[in-house]
Amino acid sequence: MSKKVLIVGGVAGGAGTAARLRRMDDQAKIIMFEKGPYISFANCGLPYYIGGTIKNREELLLQTPEGFGNRFNVDVRVNNEVLKIDRENKKVIVKDITTHKTYEESYDTLVLSTGSTPLVPNIQGIDSANIFTLWTIPDVDRIKEYVLSHNLKTATVIGGGFIGLEMAENLHDLGLDVSIAEMAPQVMMSIDYDMAQLIHGHIAKKAVHLHLNNGVKSFKARGPVTDVILSDGTTIESDIILLAIGVKPNGSLAIESGLKTNERGGVIVDAYLRTSDPNIYALGDMIEVEDFVSGQKTMVPLAGPANKQGRIVADNISGLKKTYNGTQGTSVAKVFDMTVASTGNNEKSLERQGLTYEKDYLVALITKSSHADYYPGAKDLTLKLIFDLEGKILGAQAIGQEGVEKRIDVIATAIRFGATVKDLIELELSYAPPYSSAKDPVNMVAYVADNIISKKMAPIRSEEIEGLDKSKFMILDVRTPEEVAYGAIEGHMNIPLDDLRERIQELPSDKEIIIYCAVGFRGYLASTILNPAGFKTRNLLGGYNYYRKFLKKY
């Protein structure tokens, strides 16, 4: 007798489960419910349709219900909302939204893939007609229609995460005067504050107004315009507003049926993605997963993990024993003409785990050209590597215009296989002048990390400079005078690297020497000259170029 599997929810998780299950079992009866009219669409592409990069709305629709149903022999029921799970009798109560009729459907196995929903805070004026969220095809249709039917000049995006920044870019591309309001001190919480400062500067260069540490106090509608009143009293007049402050799991079905959930409403599953009811699986945005690096419980609403989880659920329903081994949170985003990518743990997450810089983990940072300098078009790429005191890689972040995701993908792979800094050094990566350098940035950041671990170089970070006691430290700039003329750290002494051996007697022997150059390499070379001569040195990670960007306030 063939098994009957009900799948609640489509898109990445649900549709992926159904397709894989059919490939594994051609006899199973599969019914997929989706309360909306679309079962599979490119939700990551929605901002680019609004901005006009994606011209044709149909390109967002990956599968039609009819096409998917015919290809995989799945009974696809769109506009059908599952209202209740009767676990004792193994059936669900479903409402056909089109006919308003309610019916029951039994199951042998139930799969929950209900995803997540944008957070909409209870703020005065939140119901203004020009305030939108973006998550589904109907959402994008409403926003697109509003943009086309109104003479918009100003826009405000609430939230500086992936969707918020992508929408800011696309609204800017439409010619609107765009503001971003973010309650946190930085955008993109997947990266650390020091790296986010590079993004803040880039946003400012695009003439987008960035309000950090400044949440929304209220909204006030004035006809077609709505004022956004921030917590510090700043008022932003806005023709259109997009809320992008985060998402919450759609866990109400699970909660009401008595399945185990966490404090955020996320469904708790085991390694096989089974819920507390062995006949019910769950996956995607709605579940609690294990952080691959730390082993701690977390929730990561990303399409990649949801797709992998769908395959695992289908395999397990088919009798295989497949486990989901955790999420790294590997991600990439386009921020205007910059790319930001990360994988593994950042420093904020390590600190939440009770870990401390230098005591429990270390950081290496470089800025290097994305490909060989002598080949035209090379762009700066900043790469940050986080590792423990034995060299095990914990996470990485990268920002640049070219080759960013390539480097993070390499390091994400290394993390998955438990690699160390020394393993990154030994990686043989592809090289040709248009694509990389003989020493790839991944190799280079690992060289820096290895020098730090082996104490060949003592680092100092940009955030440490301002608090230095000048009676105990001396700041040495080893750049050329021409470079120094464009900006330098206050109180420095300038001795170019090539003159350092001849002028070494000018340095005080009773102070620690803080060395810096443009990006860090000449500073390291200077330390190899001074350390054998008896000086105690520390080299500024990222050099003056990174320090200058870090210090700017936005």
Side-chain angles (χ1 to χ4, degrees):
M1 181 177 177
S2 62
K3 65 184 69 172
K4 184 177 181 182
V5 181
L6 306 185
I7 300 173
V8 185
V11 198
T17 302
R20 173 66 174 176
L21 184 57
R22 175 57 69 220
R23 295 195 296 271
M24 297 296 292
D25 185 348
D26 198 55
Q27 302 303 312
K29 180 175 177 59
I30 306 171
I31 304 174
M32 184 163 61
F33 303 97
E34 172 56 54
K35 69 177 180 179
Y38 305 97
I39 63 156
S40 184
F41 60 91
N43 51 354
C44 294
L46 300 182
Y48 301 100
Y49 172 62
I50 292 171
T53 300
I54 297 174
K55 306 294 184 184
N56 188 350
R57 178 182 180 277
E58 299 306 308
E59 293 176 0
L60 298 171
L61 305 177
L62 305 180
Q63 285 275 8
T64 64
E66 297 77 18
F68 187 88
N70 291 336
R71 172 170 292 184
F72 296 105
N73 188 24
V74 173
D75 182 354
V76 179
R77 301 181 187 178
V78 295
N79 297 310
N80 275 246
E81 181 179 7
V82 175
L83 301 175
K84 184 180 179 181
I85 303 170
D86 181 351
R87 290 169 51 199
E88 184 177 352
N89 296 300
K90 296 180 69 175
K91 63 183 180 182
V92 296
I93 312 301
V94 187
K95 179 182 179 181
D96 186 322
I97 296 172
T98 304
T99 65
H100 302 290
K101 292 183 179 179
T102 301
Y103 63 95
E104 296 180 353
E105 197 70 63
S106 64
Y107 65 83
D108 295 313
T109 303
L110 178 65
V111 179
L112 300 179
S113 181
T114 54
S116 55
T117 303
L119 288 169
V120 179
N122 184 21
I123 297 176
Q124 181 182 346
I126 195 75
D127 56 351
S128 296
N130 62 346
I131 299 179
F132 300 90
T133 58
L134 179 62
W135 204 243
T136 65
I137 293 291
D139 291 339
V140 83
D141 288 341
R142 284 190 289 270
I143 296 171
K144 190 76 170 180
E145 190 280 330
Y146 196 87
V147 168
L148 293 175
S149 62
H150 292 75
N151 182 24
L152 305 181
K153 295 180 180 178
T154 59
T156 299
V157 176
I158 314 299
F162 291 100
I163 293 176
L165 292 182
E166 288 166 355
M167 276 304 301
E169 175 185 347
N170 281 279
L171 292 169
H172 180 270
D173 287 348
L174 292 175
L176 276 62
D177 184 12
V178 179
S179 299
I180 301 172
E182 170 57 63
M183 185 167 59
Q186 68 169 87
V187 300
M188 295 202 73
M189 298 305 289
S190 59
I191 63 176
D192 289 311
Y193 175 80
D194 58 335
M195 293 288 280
Q197 280 287 71
L198 306 185
I199 298 301
H200 299 158
H202 187 63
I203 291 171
K205 287 180 181 178
K206 296 297 180 179
V208 171
H209 315 291
L210 185 58
H211 303 268
L212 298 172
N213 281 312
N214 221 350
V216 177
K217 184 178 180 181
S218 64
F219 300 99
K220 185 178 181 181
R222 295 186 291 109
V225 173
T226 294
D227 289 334
V228 181
I229 297 118
L230 302 183
S231 56
D232 71 350
T234 299
T235 298
I236 309 170
E237 186 178 285
S238 309
D239 294 323
I240 187 171
I241 299 164
L242 185 95
L243 292 176
I245 60 175
V247 297
K248 60 181 179 180
N250 292 328
S252 58
L253 263 180
I255 293 170
E256 291 166 7
S257 67
L259 296 175
K260 289 184 179 179
T261 57
N262 63 19
E263 65 280 358
R264 294 173 58 187
V267 178
I268 295 173
V269 296
D270 64 12
Y272 302 99
L273 301 176
R274 292 177 304 204
T275 68
S276 51
D277 183 326
N279 298 305
I280 302 177
Y281 290 82
L283 67 148
D285 292 7
M286 67 179 300
I287 68 168
E288 178 183 84
V289 296
E290 186 175 281
D291 182 286
F292 180 78
V293 176
S294 70
Q296 296 194 349
K297 300 299 182 182
T298 186
M299 297 189 71
V300 183
L302 292 172
N307 274 285
K308 293 177 179 65
Q309 292 159 10
R311 183 182 179 92
I312 290 170
V313 166
D315 285 352
N316 287 330
I317 293 172
S318 302
L320 302 178
K321 289 289 187 181
K322 297 289 183 70
T323 59
Y324 183 69
N325 297 319
T327 299
Q328 286 172 235
T330 305
S331 63
V332 62
K334 180 178 181 291
V335 183
F336 296 93
D337 47 4
M338 296 282 277
T339 301
V340 187
S342 64
T343 188
N345 285 184
N346 56 35
E347 291 193 74
K348 295 189 299 289
S349 62
L350 293 174
E351 288 164 5
R352 286 194 296 270
Q353 297 165 37
L355 304 181
T356 306
Y357 174 65
E358 292 186 315
K359 179 182 176 184
D360 302 297
Y361 71 90
L362 297 165
V363 169
L365 187 142
I366 63 165
T367 297
K368 199 175 186 299
S369 295
S370 55
H371 62 248
D373 287 310
Y374 58 82
Y375 187 88
K379 307 291 185 183
D380 280 351
L381 185 151
T382 299
L383 179 56
K384 176 178 180 179
L385 187 70
I386 306 172
F387 47 97
D388 70 15
L389 275 58
E390 283 72 46
K392 182 180 179 182
I393 305 161
L394 304 177
Q397 301 156 41
I399 295 174
Q401 292 180 276
E402 183 181 276
V404 171
E405 70 286 355
K406 167 185 174 180
R407 275 67 189 211
I408 288 299
D409 284 344
V410 168
I411 298 174
T413 304
I415 290 174
R416 182 59 62 163
F417 293 110
T420 66
V421 165
K422 290 188 183 297
D423 294 320
L424 290 189
I425 289 173
E426 294 177 5
L427 286 181
E428 184 177 325
L429 302 173
S430 59
Y431 160 61
Y435 305 105
S436 185
S437 300
K439 294 178 182 177
D440 188 86
V442 171
N443 301 129
M444 289 300 295
V445 79
Y447 288 136
V448 175
D450 187 57
N451 285 337
I452 293 171
I453 292 170
S454 62
K455 301 189 185 306
K456 293 177 182 176
M457 183 189 81
I460 188 168
R461 305 174 67 179
S462 293
E463 52 264 50
E464 299 177 76
I465 294 291
E466 286 191 320
L468 288 177
D469 181 349
K470 299 295 175 61
S471 66
K472 298 179 181 178
F473 297 89
M474 180 217 160
I475 299 175
L476 175 63
D477 187 328
V478 296
R479 298 176 298 162
T480 65
E482 292 77 14
E483 291 175 282
V484 174
Y486 286 99
I489 297 176
E490 185 179 352
H492 75 280
M493 177 180 183
N494 178 221
I495 302 179
L497 175 65
D498 293 340
D499 300 337
L500 187 57
R501 286 184 176 86
E502 288 71 30
R503 296 178 58 185
I504 197 169
Q505 70 281 357
E506 298 177 30
L507 299 176
S509 59
D510 60 339
K511 291 184 179 182
E512 187 170 347
I513 310 296
I514 306 300
I515 312 169
Y516 75 92
C517 61
V519 295
F521 181 62
R522 282 175 290 172
Y524 166 64
L525 295 180
S527 71
T528 65
I529 295 170
L530 296 180
N531 290 345
F535 292 94
K536 185 177 181 182
T537 67
R538 295 172 74 185
N539 186 28
L540 179 60
L541 287 180
Y544 179 74
N545 292 354
Y546 190 79
Y547 169 82
R548 174 176 52 83
K549 293 173 183 177
F550 172 80
L551 276 194
K552 287 190 175 179
K553 308 298 181 183
Y554 301 95

